[in-house]
Amino acid sequence: MPLSSTITAAEPTPPVNRVSTRLKAGDIDREKTCPLLMRVFWKFGDHQRLESFERKGKETSQDEFQIHTWKDATLRELTELVKEVNRGARTNSHKISFAWVYPDIRGKMTMRNVGYCWANPRGKGLDINDDKTLDQLGFVTGDYVSVSITRENDRR
């Protein structure tokens, strides 16, 4: 019996599942689990423009730093890392906002605001987003992280 092959059109890649598995801080054994590489792009005043992420390999690198972390890392942990890299973000009045940047199902880059932390939380209470993990916020390995650092004089 002769072998025949059929060529079929490639099916579009299904969208990445952004549903959380609800990992809480400390759920991952960081001694036994390999960390992921996160590319973080920061800017004073506003988030990076989406156009700066459109061409792979041509992202804005001047304001980039890279982090090895885990999906149970919290926004507070990321805030502390931003403060280590950027001295200007260390004052009480700075708000550090986070957004995931990733391609949508059509391949066009999109940005989703996920939360913020104050540079220095007041008192012993946490900010509302401090203990939210990357996983709970729908971070997927390969997403870019845009960080906006703004000065807020009217802190609540």
Side-chain angles (χ1 to χ4, degrees):
M1 179 177 214
L3 295 174
S4 64
S5 63
T6 309
I7 299 175
T8 58
E11 303 224 359
T13 306
V16 174
N17 184 0
R18 296 197 167 272
V19 177
S20 164
T21 57
R22 301 292 178 213
L23 287 174
K24 291 181 254 136
D27 280 357
I28 293 177
D29 182 346
R30 294 182 177 190
E31 293 293 320
K32 295 180 180 176
T33 305
C34 184
L36 59 93
L37 175 65
M38 176 184 284
R39 293 182 67 189
V40 181
F41 299 85
W42 63 270
K43 184 177 174 186
F44 277 102
D46 203 1
H47 285 283
Q48 298 282 348
R49 294 168 29 114
L50 272 178
E51 293 80 30
S52 31
F53 299 100
E54 289 293 332
R55 294 189 53 198
K56 196 87 164 161
K58 303 287 185 194
E59 301 86 4
T60 308
S61 60
Q62 181 180 359
D63 300 327
E64 176 186 6
F65 63 96
Q66 298 178 355
I67 301 171
H68 286 95
T69 191
W70 295 264
K71 290 201 56 165
D72 69 339
T74 64
L75 285 189
R76 174 53 53 195
E77 287 179 72
L78 294 184
T79 298
E80 295 305 316
L81 292 169
V82 169
K83 288 168 38 181
E84 281 181 29
V85 171
N86 190 318
R87 290 173 102 44
R90 296 178 188 171
T91 64
N92 288 343
S93 60
H94 281 96
K95 178 179 172 181
I96 301 173
S97 302
F98 297 90
W100 306 155
V101 180
Y102 54 89
D104 65 12
I105 72 183
R106 296 179 315 273
K108 184 168 172 63
M109 296 306 276
T110 188
M111 183 179 293
R112 184 169 61 92
N113 291 314
V114 295
Y116 67 88
C117 292
W118 292 101
N120 296 307
R122 285 194 168 174
K124 62 180 181 177
L126 295 174
D127 287 333
I128 190 167
N129 298 303
D130 275 6
D131 61 351
K132 290 186 179 172
T133 66
L134 300 177
D135 184 70
Q136 290 170 337
L137 296 168
F139 179 82
V140 173
T141 303
D143 288 355
Y144 297 117
V145 179
S146 177
V147 174
S148 166
I149 303 168
T150 55
R151 186 175 183 91
E152 299 285 330
N153 292 328
D154 58 343
R155 193 169 170 182
R156 294 176 195 125

